Each structure stands twice: as structure tokens, then as C-alpha cells.
Amino acid sequence: MPTPSQNARLLAVTLLLWVVATAYLHFLPSWIVNPLSGALAYVTTIPVAWLSIVIIRMAAQLTPAQLLPGVCLVGTAAMMLDGAVLRWMPHLYATDERVLHLGAAWLLWGYGLSLGIALLMSRRAPHPAQA
């Protein structure tokens, strides 16, 4: 498990990544609703999710055994932020219902990718009992 210091860094990274995703939805809503750019958003999220995992790992100096719990903390905190904002302050993302709907779907896609990538990365790491 990550240490308290690493958890603090993970939560700081959470806020940074959440602000970037929120700004994307808020300032580029047409990229989400347009069929072509919306599809591209899903495809380009794959390398962005991978890069996010690398940033998370580096920022908190996570060991291979700490990677999955660390990414889970970031994902949990960010999803809770998204849930609260979508419920009580949706205008931070967008004022259009379609953008909110498609943006929420894109966020879920990104979380799923990030968690899956972290799972694959952690499976390649030696098990703590074997290390």
C-alpha cells in the first residue's frame, strides 16, 4: 500500500488530472458531440490513460506492488469528484445535456482504460512475496 506521503501526492495528481479532463469537457464540448472527433477522443484517450499511469507512478514514486492501489486511489477520488460535480455543479463540465451525457461516458471510458492499464502493468511486476 502507498505511504501517507505517497497518498498525499496521489491526491494532488488526482486534482491535476481531474482539472485537465474538466477543462477539456468545458472548453472543447464540440470535440465530444461531433461523431468524428468524439470517436477520436476515445482513441486518443488510450495513450493519455497510459501516460496518466506513468505520471501517477513517477509523481508518487510507487513501487510495482504499490501501482495498482495507487491508481485505484486516484481513480476513486476522481470518480467521486465527477459524481459530485455532475450532481451539484454540472455547469463546470458543460451547460448542454448532450455534452454532459457524452462527457460522462468519455470519463468512464478513461477510468476503465486507466484501471485496466494499471492492472496489466502491475501483473508484469514481481509479486511482493517473490521480490
Side-chain angles (χ1 to χ4, degrees):
M1 294 298 289
T3 66
S5 171
Q6 288 172 312
N7 285 335
R9 285 181 270 161
L10 289 167
L11 291 175
V13 171
T14 299
L15 193 55
L16 172 71
L17 294 172
W18 182 82
V19 166
V20 170
T22 300
Y24 173 74
L25 291 174
H26 185 82
F27 293 111
L28 297 169
S30 63
W31 283 61
I32 294 296
V33 296
N34 178 285
L36 179 59
S37 60
L40 282 173
Y42 273 71
V43 172
T44 58
T45 300
I46 297 168
V48 171
W50 177 83
L51 180 60
S52 296
I53 302 306
V54 171
I55 291 168
I56 289 166
R57 184 178 55 199
M58 289 174 40
Q61 299 175 330
L62 299 173
T63 66
Q66 293 172 316
L67 181 64
L68 193 56
V71 171
C72 285
L73 174 62
V74 170
T76 298
M79 282 187 265
M80 291 174 73
L81 278 169
D82 284 332
V85 169
L86 284 166
R87 173 63 181 94
W88 289 291
M89 295 178 286
H91 62 278
L92 287 179
Y93 295 116
T95 55
D96 180 83
E97 289 292 322
R98 186 157 188 245
V99 174
L100 287 171
H101 174 84
L102 294 173
W106 172 74
L107 289 168
L108 289 170
W109 167 257
Y111 291 128
L113 277 174
S114 297
L115 291 169
I117 290 167
L119 180 62
L120 290 174
M121 285 181 170
S122 69
R123 290 184 64 159
R124 286 193 269 158
H127 189 274
Q130 299 169 343

